[in-house]
């Protein structure tokens, strides 16, 4: 549970997007994205534990393709944030991300893949207990991920009242864009 909390609550692309959406659209309109990210990560954890890891290990180029595609997607989001105007409705992309967007964001998020693979490798039991331990990990993340990502959205929504000027919103957009780019760069160290 501590592993799930530390990895779900730590800064990363999905959490940064949730905070930005919270600022732009408030908590209620960001919750579908948070729910999608939660379900997306839990399903990624389950898929990784039940076979994707073997596929990625067997065909290493898949990992490189996922890492590259995920990095490009995140760089695109950073570019959108950097270029967004200072009006609140444009902080993210003009409309709140939905549940499917939140789920897909996890599947192309290199941090999510690293967390899923390391979690499976570290916290599952071998032998007959393997399948049930993978399922248990996925359920733990299902429970912990929602409030963790939701906290970022809540912080964004709370910050919304402080961002009264277009200049303040532009600075937030740029800071979030830089954080996204930094999160991408750490994947290649």
């Amino acid at each position: 549970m501590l592993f799930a909390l530390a990895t779900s609550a730590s800064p990363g692309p999905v959490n940064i997007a949730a905070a930005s959406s919270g600022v732009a659209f408030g908590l209620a309109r960001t919750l579908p994205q948070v729910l999608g990210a939660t379900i997306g990560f839990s399903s990624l954890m389950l898929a990784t534990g039940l076979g994707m890891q073997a596929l990625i290990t067997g065909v290493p180029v898949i990992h490189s393709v996922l890492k590259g595609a995920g990095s490009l997607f995140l760089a695109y989001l950073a570019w959108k944030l950097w270029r967004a105007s200072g009006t609140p409705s444009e902080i993210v992309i003009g409309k709140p991300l939905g549940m499917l967007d939140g789920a897909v964001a996890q599947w192309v998020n290199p941090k999510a893949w690293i967390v899923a693979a390391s979690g499976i490798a570290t916290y599952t039991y071998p032998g007959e207990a393997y399948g049930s331990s993978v399922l248990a990990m996925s359920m733990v993340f299902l429970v912990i991920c929602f409030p963790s990502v939701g906290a970022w959205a809540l912080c964004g929504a709370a910050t919304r009242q402080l961002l009264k000027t277009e200049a303040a919103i532009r600075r937030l957009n740029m800071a979030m864009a830089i954080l996204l780019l930094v999160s991408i760069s750490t994947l290649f160290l």
Side-chain angles (χ1 to χ4, degrees), residues 46-127:
L46 190 60
T48 300
L50 298 179
M52 291 292 290
Q53 187 173 13
L55 178 62
I56 290 170
T57 302
V59 186
V61 73
I62 291 174
H63 181 263
S64 298
V65 168
L66 286 170
K67 189 175 187 178
S71 296
L72 287 174
F73 175 74
L74 298 174
Y76 169 75
L77 286 179
W79 177 76
K80 292 285 284 183
L81 281 168
W82 187 265
R83 292 198 41 173
S85 74
T87 59
S89 64
E90 289 191 33
I91 290 177
V92 181
I93 54 172
K95 64 179 183 165
L97 298 174
M99 191 175 346
L100 183 59
D101 298 313
V104 169
Q106 290 289 29
W107 279 79
V108 298
N109 177 1
K111 175 190 169 192
W113 282 89
I114 292 166
V115 169
S118 61
I120 294 297
T122 307
Y123 296 103
T124 56
Y125 298 109

Side-chain angles (χ1 to χ4, degrees), residues 156-168:
T159 305
R160 183 180 193 173
Q161 298 305 317
L162 301 174
L163 301 173
K164 300 267 186 209
T165 67
E166 287 191 19

